[in-house]
Each structure stands twice: as structure tokens, then as C-alpha cells.
Amino acid sequence: MAQKQPRDREMLESVYSMLALVFILVACVELCDAATVVDVYRLIQYDISGVPFGSRLSSLNHHAGSLHFSPGTDLSRTVVMIPVHELNISFVKEYISQKQPLGGLLFLLPEMFRLENKGGGGSSSEVQEKQLIKNVLLELERLLIHAKMPYPVYFAFENDEIDSVLNDVKKNDATGQPATATTGGYKLVVSTSEAKKVASPTITNIQGWLQGLKAEGDVNQLPTIAIVASYDTFGAAPALSVGSDSNGSGVVALLEIARLFSRLYSNPKTRGSYNLLFGLTSGGPYNYNGTHKWLRSFDQRLRESIDYAICLNSIGSWNDELWIHVSKPPENAYIKHIFEGFSSVAEELGFKVGLKHKKINISNSRVAWEHEQFSRLRVTAATLSELSVAPELLESTGGLLDSSHFVDETAIVRSVKLVAESLARHIYGYQGKNINIFADDSSLAVNPSYIRSWLDLLSQTPRVAPFLSKNDPFIMALKKELADHTDEVNVQHEVLDGMFTFYDSVRGRLNIYQVTIGNGLLQVASVTFDLLLLLALGSYLIVLFSFLVITTRGLDDLISLFRRPPSRKVKTA
């Protein structure tokens, strides 16, 4: 019995020592937490007819570097941090075109471009800086979305912490000693599973009606005017693609036009003899795929009743001229009638409207403008836009530079006045007459506050179609708003055509770890290293504990620790 007590005491001391060691190790691991954690937004990953584009990897675990590296430096395990205002586009072009190895790219966007930050004029220097950054982003985005990069590419916003990290990285690179496992520095880690294909991406169309007033005894179907705008976007970073101008401005204008005409049509005395069809369509960047499916769902009578359709696209960033794009020749009598109506209203408002004709090539599947989907079904249609020429596929569709900073609310107000007044004069037979139905001082005046509130929402809502679910809050908000101003609101869900394939993992959390070398000791690398260290030490402690029990108390005592103690039966009297 005397021998057993010292053994028990030794056993307890061993256990206490090991528990203390475990607590110390856990504390050490907690101290090894990330120096900085920031939100990051991944470059889009997609395929067109099986051809891959964009960033093909999402997980990241490499040391940080800057553009100040020495010539000939191996960057295969380095993430190059590049502030947009310091961007050397030649470097990016060279590494992409020559397929040189890179650990990854991290582009740093100015803080003022955060989605929460509203646009504004600012000082002349700020306006000039925004314009310079706009030009850089335009060139960068065109390069990135049409290239294939076998490494992770992310975007983040500058802040004090990440600026401090970048300054340290620049200093290290300037000495000719980039960060490695042996020299220290910073390590960038995005722990995420690799991206997977988005299965059966959904596109959603929303339509609303305002019924016209039939004359007594008239049994014929009323003619219809369609006002249409595509609401979704595409850009280098899907989680940042808000498209304030393309096509947030078109959506805002459509909602305000619906609100104005709902007031006119709510009174039988001022209700027009035209039906008004409002369509918010999806799949705009992808050859207006949603518009195509929406029109195909119409029956023949409805399609034939459409007098003409006006599509609104990018009308929030212009000064003194807008363009009407058509597929039918300008000499066409009906096209001339529509153009003259818009042109006369524009002249009264103090700006110009030009006419652009682009013939449709039926054999080409590429659809440059939304009205072309109507024209292919022999429905007269036109697109109103600030763009004088059609953009290339997947360009000018709401990318990085298309934020509220580059949209003019006044331009949207003027666009709404143009469309609403032109439609009203056509509907009520006032064409050629100087009658302002939506005069500024009337109860039917355009509401800038309404336009501003919706523009703010759109400028903070990424709308890349494959990542918007059927019941996305934004889609529900559009449906509700259209229902407040129109009748018979319908929602149509379709699957995006299979030419395009998209991949998930569009955003993540970047952990920046500081790696320092001192007294021969390497301090902290990453979460993976921490977990492996814990696992190894835990295994070692278990083996050590088992060894101590066996040597001091025997194997039977070790086994008994894991046995279930026998139950005690209570004796009854």
C-alpha cells in the first residue's frame, strides 16, 4: 500500500505536467492567429462551349510579393499584391500571354470603390483620380475575362492593415530577399474547396401589364407598347459586379416609367388606348438569352399586338447625346415615326438623339442589342443607349468600373423624361405638339428621390445571373415593385442555355500571416501548420501518457482506464 501511493503521486504529477503542456501549446497556437483578415473576391471562372476562361483555382497558400521584385525572381510560389493605382499592365500581360508561373495575383482596389460608398462629384483631383482608375480597370478587366489563368486571382479593397502589410512586403522585395519559408515575410492563405460547376443556372424574367382602355363597341385587341430592360450583369469579379450604369440605369428608368404611367392609367379619363407591357429580363450578357425565352413564351396574338418595343440599356452616363439602335433601315416609315417622336422631345429637353442602323445576321448567334431578339421575330423594336456602337460579347455589362461613382442621376432623370414623354405623345396622339405631360411642376413629374433610392440599391447588389437564385431577395424586390405599379405581374424561370458554364466560389476570406525568423525559431506559418502541429503533439502526448502508465502501474491499469466501471447494486432490506 505504501508503494502504491508514491506511484499514484508520480502518475498525477505526470498527468498535470502534460495538461499544462497542452494548455501552453493551445495558447501558442492562438497567439499564432492571422495578422490581418480581409474579404476577397475571386476572378470569375467560366467556360464558353467548353473553352476555359478566368481563374481556374480558388484555394491560396503562398508568400506575399510585390511588383518590386528583382529580375529573374521565381514567382511560382508567390502571390503578387498589386494596387490598381500602381498597376503595371505590361507585367500582367506578359505573365498571362507567356504563361509564366505565378502563385497567384491579388489586385487591391481603392477604398472609395467599396459597394457601400456612394458615388459623388468630389474635388477635381478626386474626379481625375477616378477617371484614371477607370481607364486602368477597363483595360485590366478586358484582359482578365478573356484569359485563362491556372492560379488563384483575387480582388480586395485597400485598408490601413493591408497597406501596412504591402509596405513591409515592398521593403523586403527591395532588398532582393523575397519572402520564403526561410527568410520570413507574410503568407497569404484562402482556405476554401476548389470551385465546382453551377448546375442548371437559373434566369428569371419579370413582366407587368397596364391595360389600356377600349372604346365602346371596340372588339379588336388593343395595340401594345413594350418597355424592356435587362437587369443582370457580368464582370471580372461576380461578387462586385453591380452594373450601376449597365444596366442598373435601365432598370431604374423602367420602374420610374411604370410608376408614372400607373398614375395616368389609374384614372379611366386619362387611360390610353394602348396596353403597356413592362419586362425585366435576365441573361442580358449572354446574348439576351432571357429575352429570347420570354418572347418565345408569348402566343401569336400577343406578339402581333406589339406596336413596338423600346429597350433601355446604359442610359446613366452621358452628356448631350443618346442613340437609338434599330435593325430595320432608317427609311422604314415606322422607324422614322418613332425616331422623329424621340428626336423632337429630346430637342425640347436640350440634347440630341442619333439613329444607328445595324442589320441582323440571322446565321450568327451573337446578339449585340436586346431589340434584336424582337427583330428576329419580326417585331419592331429599338434600343436606347448612350453607347454609339454595340459592345463586344461580355463587355460593358456591369464590370469593376461600372459603379455609382461613374453614374449621373441627372442623366437618368433626363432619359426617363425622354422615354415617358415620347411614349405619352405617341399613345395620346400628341406627337409634334409641344405638350409636356410629365412637366416638372406637375403631379406627374419625374421623382429624382425614387430614382436615387433604386440606383443606390442596384449599386450595392451584385447581379450575375448564375449566382441569383429564383427567390433571391433582389428578384423578390423587383417583383414587388413592379406589382405596386402594374397589373398581372408574372415571373418566368428558365435555365440558361448550355453554351456558358459557370463555377462557384466567388468570394472568400484572406488570412495574412506574418512569418518571422528569430533565434533560430520559425514563428507561425498558417492554420494548416497549426493543426498539423497540434495533431503531432497530441499524438506524442498520448503515447507518452500510455508509456508512463505502463512503466509505473502496468498494462492492466492502462486498460482499466478505458473500461466501463461495474455498476453497483443497492442491497434491499
Side-chain angles (χ1 to χ4, degrees):
M1 192 69 179
Q3 289 180 346
K4 194 171 183 180
Q5 287 181 354
R7 284 187 178 180
D8 290 343
R9 193 177 299 112
E10 291 174 5
M11 189 64 194
L12 288 172
E13 289 175 357
S14 300
V15 172
Y16 292 150
S17 299
M18 283 184 288
L19 288 175
L21 182 58
V22 168
F23 284 127
I24 291 171
L25 289 171
V26 170
C28 288
V29 171
E30 289 298 319
L31 290 172
C32 297
D33 204 356
T36 303
V37 180
V38 296
D39 292 318
V40 288
Y41 311 91
R42 192 166 77 100
L43 174 66
I44 194 165
Q45 180 180 352
Y46 69 104
D47 304 335
I48 299 182
S49 300
V51 180
F53 294 95
S55 174
R56 311 309 292 184
L57 291 177
S58 53
S59 61
L60 188 67
N61 192 341
H62 290 304
H63 287 88
S66 70
L67 289 175
H68 294 71
F69 59 86
S70 303
T73 301
D74 180 12
L75 300 178
S76 59
R77 297 189 60 80
T78 299
V79 181
V80 182
M81 302 173 68
I82 307 176
V84 170
H85 62 269
E86 298 178 8
L87 177 62
N88 181 348
I89 198 71
S90 300
F91 162 78
V92 182
K93 285 182 178 179
E94 177 186 346
Y95 267 77
I96 291 176
S97 61
Q98 298 182 13
K99 299 181 180 179
Q100 297 192 31
L102 266 179
L105 287 171
L106 176 62
F107 294 102
L108 303 178
L109 304 172
E111 175 74 15
M112 64 180 174
F113 284 109
R114 283 189 180 275
L115 301 186
E116 313 88 70
N117 296 340
K118 296 181 181 180
S123 63
S124 58
S125 60
E126 288 176 339
V127 171
Q128 186 177 5
E129 182 185 2
K130 288 178 184 178
Q131 191 59 45
L132 289 173
I133 292 174
K134 180 178 180 179
N135 296 336
V136 171
L137 281 176
L138 180 62
E139 188 174 3
L140 176 64
E141 188 160 31
R142 282 176 177 166
L143 177 65
L144 294 179
I145 65 173
H146 296 303
K148 173 190 172 185
M149 280 146 287
Y151 42 78
V153 180
Y154 280 96
F155 298 88
F157 289 99
E158 294 176 338
N159 58 32
D160 292 341
E161 291 80 10
I162 207 164
D163 287 346
S164 177
V165 170
L166 180 59
N167 288 333
D168 286 347
V169 171
K170 288 179 179 178
K171 290 177 183 177
N172 291 339
D173 287 351
T175 63
Q177 289 188 336
T180 66
T182 57
T183 62
Y186 289 89
K187 198 162 192 182
L188 309 185
V189 179
V190 178
S191 299
T192 182
S193 57
E194 288 307 323
K196 299 176 182 176
K197 290 182 180 180
V198 178
S200 303
T202 303
I203 52 177
T204 302
N205 300 316
I206 309 168
Q207 73 172 38
W209 281 91
L210 281 177
Q211 298 288 342
L213 184 66
K214 283 187 177 182
E216 190 174 347
D218 187 2
V219 295
N220 296 320
Q221 185 173 359
L222 288 177
T224 299
I225 295 177
I227 303 95
V228 188
S230 178
Y231 65 82
D232 58 346
T233 60
F234 178 92
L240 298 176
S241 184
V242 297
S244 298
D245 190 12
S246 178
N247 191 30
S249 60
V251 172
V252 170
L254 182 144
L255 293 176
E256 174 64 352
I257 293 167
R259 188 189 69 82
L260 293 173
F261 275 95
S262 69
R263 303 193 68 177
L264 275 175
Y265 274 51
S266 63
N267 186 343
K269 293 181 180 180
T270 56
R271 189 184 304 171
S273 56
Y274 280 77
N275 296 324
L276 295 180
L277 172 61
F278 296 91
L280 290 166
T281 59
S282 184
Y286 323 114
N287 287 327
Y288 296 96
N289 190 241
T291 310
H292 169 77
K293 294 179 183 292
W294 180 53
L295 293 176
R296 293 288 178 180
S297 69
F298 291 179
D299 60 40
Q300 189 67 22
R301 288 186 63 213
L302 171 57
R303 201 177 299 154
E304 291 177 352
S305 76
I306 298 177
D307 199 30
Y308 74 91
I310 183 71
C311 304
L312 309 176
N313 180 289
S314 302
I315 52 175
S317 180
W318 57 278
N319 293 318
D320 55 6
E321 188 168 23
L322 282 169
W323 298 93
I324 293 179
H325 299 269
V326 294
S327 300
K328 291 183 177 180
E331 298 79 21
N332 179 281
Y334 208 74
I335 294 297
K336 286 180 69 175
H337 182 70
I338 295 171
F339 174 66
E340 287 171 359
F342 274 78
S343 185
S344 63
V345 173
E347 188 175 349
E348 292 173 19
L349 295 173
F351 57 89
K352 296 179 181 179
V353 172
L355 186 65
K356 291 277 186 175
H357 170 235
K358 177 182 171 295
K359 191 175 181 180
I360 294 177
N361 183 359
I362 299 296
S363 61
N364 187 357
S365 60
R366 169 80 173 107
V367 179
W369 297 108
E370 189 165 18
H371 76 265
E372 293 183 12
Q373 291 289 13
F374 287 85
S375 300
R376 286 169 183 252
L377 296 176
R378 302 185 183 282
V379 176
T380 301
T383 294
L384 180 70
S385 177
E386 70 207 13
L387 304 175
S388 59
V389 294
E392 296 296 323
L393 180 66
L394 301 179
E395 293 185 6
S396 299
T397 51
L400 290 170
L401 58 89
D402 193 351
S403 67
S404 59
H405 295 272
F406 303 106
V407 174
D408 182 4
E409 293 173 13
T410 305
I412 300 178
V413 170
R414 296 166 76 198
S415 300
V416 171
K417 286 182 180 179
L418 171 67
V419 177
E421 200 68 52
S422 301
L423 293 179
R425 293 185 187 186
H426 181 85
I427 291 169
Y428 297 105
Y430 294 154
Q431 204 151 357
K433 300 178 181 179
N434 190 8
I435 298 176
N436 292 321
I437 298 174
F438 302 101
D440 289 340
D441 55 353
S442 71
S443 60
L444 292 173
V446 176
N447 188 343
S449 297
Y450 180 85
I451 289 174
R452 187 179 307 114
S453 63
W454 269 99
L455 183 61
D456 287 346
L457 175 62
L458 285 154
S459 297
Q460 297 178 43
T461 308
R463 304 185 303 281
V464 177
F467 307 110
L468 284 176
S469 65
K470 296 178 181 179
N471 300 316
D472 188 272
F474 174 74
I475 292 178
M476 294 298 102
L478 284 182
K479 177 185 175 183
K480 181 181 181 304
E481 190 64 25
L482 206 57
D484 287 344
H485 304 305
T486 63
D487 307 313
E488 300 179 35
V489 173
N490 296 317
V491 178
Q492 176 191 30
H493 301 296
E494 295 285 349
V495 176
L496 183 66
D497 280 352
M499 174 183 175
F500 295 89
T501 302
F502 293 90
Y503 296 78
D504 59 12
S505 187
V506 297
R507 66 173 70 208
R509 298 279 286 172
L510 172 67
N511 295 273
I512 304 177
Y513 297 93
Q514 187 169 11
V515 183
T516 57
I517 306 296
N519 299 323
L521 177 64
L522 175 65
Q523 297 179 356
V524 181
S526 68
V527 172
T528 305
F529 175 80
D530 295 337
L531 294 176
L532 290 175
L533 180 63
L534 271 179
L535 183 61
L537 290 174
S539 302
Y540 168 76
L541 291 175
I542 292 173
V543 172
L544 178 61
F545 177 81
S546 302
F547 174 78
L548 291 174
V549 172
I550 293 172
T551 56
T552 57
R553 303 182 62 176
L555 180 61
D556 290 339
D557 282 359
L558 177 64
I559 296 174
S560 67
L561 292 175
F562 301 97
R563 284 180 179 167
R564 182 178 178 182
S567 60
R568 296 181 180 179
K569 293 183 180 180
V570 180
K571 294 183 179 180
T572 56

